[in-house]
């Protein structure tokens, strides 16, 4: 560049100023017209840098030597370019000096332009406290994008000197995540603020950084200002600024992510444990192929889980038809979003046939390609046990029917000769055809007649009970007057009580004028209950018979003040031939069929029997009969 002698002197003077200047300062000359070009259009103005001091070099991100002879426009930050060139052009045109302030992302700047002997001196002073390297660095990068990213990044970004590790700048995420303010940390090192839980980590990071120039996803743990420990992932890179090395670090807090990952891992492990150790067989299938099989499922069929995985379920069926039939049925159900349940005869690896309960549900009813979850259980044993139980029950039922039939036939056969015995013994006892001679014969005939009657009662009870059990007892439901029936029964019972000084009190609800039931059965029920009450109540006792309507039922209550029944016997006395072992049984006689018959007849009517009793206090038997019994009732 040609300069006159005068101009060179000026330039030297300016160069001295330039060297001493703390503020960034550059000397420029208009490009096209040489040192002085008054009247040049602003739009056309272009400037070449003559000299720049160190501060300007730092600001513009090049060495002072590199700036010399370079177009000013080329080195100015884009955001400054228009404004700076405009002021320069104005001073070039008008002469003198100009000053203006402007603000950009890196701060408030004051710019001064002075025209000195055809050279324009351009000086900047930072409006904010100067000396902030970061601003200069940022400005060096000059890219708004970077600044925005730096500011808004959810991750921590720091710039620190590589040699000492002093923070030059940190972003908001740093402040937010670690709890240190920017002012707290600028100029200090991460060690000084106690960030590293393991200081060796920083050394290792720096070592690999020096080796490779960058570090990616270095995991470590940071301590926040409040003492919390965070797990972090750091990626660092060295950057060169003004001949100095800095460390640009991007740090991501992965504490929460790690926690979630650990939780997920645990949940998965638990699921895996449940799946593997389940005592029922579970498999996940798609297109009838086993994708996942648990140990139990494989064991049911004699395979290992690995054997089955990837196989078609065809191998578990005895033949192709079974496989196809099962598939058609099950997938039709599951296709409607329902659960398929079925028991199938299947085949183990050793060829043995087993019954399997299969429960399947599609992951998505609409999309069969998403697979099906099956639960399998070997029910061979259960089915065998059920089968045996069913057979045993059928055999028992058959035996019971046979027994009842036998009893019915036998009772019938016994009654015929008994009738003759009774008739003839009565004739002899009463000596109807003349005296028998020896009076003892008449007495013996009387004993025969009494025993015969007892036998007949017993045979009748057995016959009735057998008929009921064999399902051959048919109720003859008729309408009758309960007042009359009950009165005759009570009268008979009084007769049985003889002169034992028992009070028998009958109370029938007046409204109960008609009852629908098998009259003979109701009479039998009443006679049996009353005979027991009389039998088991001591002289001077009391027997109350109360009959009342209770909703849809007629309630017949027979309460005595007799010996009572032990608690543990109450349930059993309703069974045939069961007797509560009390002192009266032996003396009072009886077979243990009375209450069983009452129970059976009441049940035939669709009613129920309840016994309340206390030893030495008394017994109350409550019979409930429906007012409108369903006829004929099924056999018990
Ligand atoms: P039985 O009276 O012929 O023995 P039941 O079936 O009528 O047969 O009665 C079964 C048993 O229940 C009786 O043996 C007796 O021990 C007991 N029992 C029945 N009714 C009474 C009652 N009113 N008081 C005390 N015990 C009774």
């Amino acid at each position: 560049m040609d300069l006159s002698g005068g101009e060179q002197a000026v330039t030297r003077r300016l160069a001295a100023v330039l060297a001493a200047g703390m503020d960034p300062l550059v000397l420029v000359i208009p490009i096209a017209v040489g040192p002085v070009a008054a009247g040049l259009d602003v739009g056309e103005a272009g400037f070449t840098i003559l000299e720049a001091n160190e501060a300007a070099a730092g600001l513009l991100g090049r060495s002072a030597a590199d700036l010399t002879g370079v177009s000013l426009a080329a080195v100015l930050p884009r955001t400054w370019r228009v404004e700076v060139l405009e002021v320069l052009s104005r001073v070039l045109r008008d002469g003198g000096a100009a000053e203006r302030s402007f603000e950009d992302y890196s701060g408030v700047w004051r710019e001064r332009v002075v025209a000195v002997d055809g050279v324009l001196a351009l000086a900047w002073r930072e409006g904010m406290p100067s000396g902030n390297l970061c601003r200069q660095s940022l400005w060096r990068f000059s890219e708004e994008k970077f600044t925005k990213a730096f500011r808004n990044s959810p991750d921590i970004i720091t710039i620190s000197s590589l040699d000492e590790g002093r923070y030059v700048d940190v972003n908001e995420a740093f402040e937010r995540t670690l709890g240190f303010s920017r002012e707290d940390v600028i100029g200090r090192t991460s060690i000084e603020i106690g960030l590293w839980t393991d200081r060796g980590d920083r050394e290792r990071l720096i070592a690999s950084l020096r080796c490779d120039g960058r570090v990616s996803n270095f995991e470590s743990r940071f301590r926040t200002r409040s003492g919390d420990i965070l797990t972090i992932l750091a990626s660092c890179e060295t950057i060169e600024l003004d001949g100095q090395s800095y460390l640009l670090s991007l740090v991501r807090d992965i504490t929460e992510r790690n926690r979630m990952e650990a939780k997920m891992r645990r949940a998965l492990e638990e699921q895996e444990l449940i799946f593997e150790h389940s005592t029922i067989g579970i498999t996940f299938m798609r297109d009838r192929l086993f994708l996942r099989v648990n140990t139990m499922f494989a064991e049911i069929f004699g395979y290992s889980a690995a054997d089955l995985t990837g196989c078609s379920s065809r191998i578990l069926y005895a033949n192709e038809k079974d496989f196809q039939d099962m598939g058609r049925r099950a997938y039709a159900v599951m296709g409607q979003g329902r659960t398929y349940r079925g028991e199938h005869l299947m085949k183990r690896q050793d060829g043995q046939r087993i019954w399997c309960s299969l429960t399947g549900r599609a992951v998505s009813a609409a999309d069969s390609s998403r697979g099906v979850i099956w639960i399998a259980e070997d029910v061979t044993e259960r089915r065998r046990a059920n089968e045996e139980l069913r057979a045993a029950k059928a055999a028992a039922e058959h035996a019971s029917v046979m027994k009842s039939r036998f009893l019915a036939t036998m009772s019938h056969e016994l009654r015929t000769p008994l009738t003759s015995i009774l008739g003839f013994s009565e004739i002899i006892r009463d000596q109807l055809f003349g005296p028998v001679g020896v009076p003892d014969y008449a007495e013996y005939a009387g004993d025969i007649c009494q025993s015969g009657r007892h036998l007949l009662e017993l045979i009748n009870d057995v016959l009735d009970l057998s008929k009921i059990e064999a399902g051959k007892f048919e109720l003859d439901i008729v309408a009758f007057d309960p007042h009359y029936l009950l009165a005759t029964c009570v009268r008979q019972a009084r007769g049985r009580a003889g002169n034992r000084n028992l009070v028998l009190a009958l109370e029938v609800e007046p409204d109960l004028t008609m009852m629908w039931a098998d009259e003979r059965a109701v009479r039998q029920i009443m006679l049996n209950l009353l005979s027991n009450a009389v039998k088991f109540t001591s002289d001077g006792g009391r027997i109350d018979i109360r009959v009342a309507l209770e909703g849809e039922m007629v309630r017949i209550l027979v309460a005595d003040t007799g010996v009572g029944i032990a608690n543990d016997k109450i349930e059993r006395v309703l069974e045939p031939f069961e007797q509560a072992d009390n002192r009266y049984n032996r003396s009072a006689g009886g077979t243990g069929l009375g209450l069983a018959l009452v129970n059976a007849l009441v049940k035939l009517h669709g009613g129920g029997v309840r016994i309340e009793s206390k030893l030495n206090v008394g017994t109350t038997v409550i019979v409930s009969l429906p007012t409108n019994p369903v006829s004929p009732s099924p056999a018990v």
Side-chain angles (χ1 to χ4, degrees), residues 528-529 532-533 535-537 560 562-565 573 575 578-582 585 589-596 613 618-619 621:
N528 284 8
L529 294 183
N532 277 348
K535 201 158 55 174
F536 296 107
T537 305
D560 62 52
V563 291
I565 306 168
V573 293
E575 300 294 322
E578 283 287 345
Q579 293 183 313
D581 185 21
N582 60 42
N585 279 134
T591 54
L593 285 175
L595 284 180
S613 188
T619 304
V621 183

Side-chain angles (χ1 to χ4, degrees), residues 339-357:
T339 302
Y340 172 79
R341 284 192 182 84
E343 288 190 0
H344 296 267
L345 189 60
M346 300 177 83
K347 193 182 77 179
R348 279 171 54 90
Q349 190 186 24
D350 56 14
Q352 189 194 330
R353 298 291 165 85
I354 54 168
W355 278 97
C356 235
S357 154

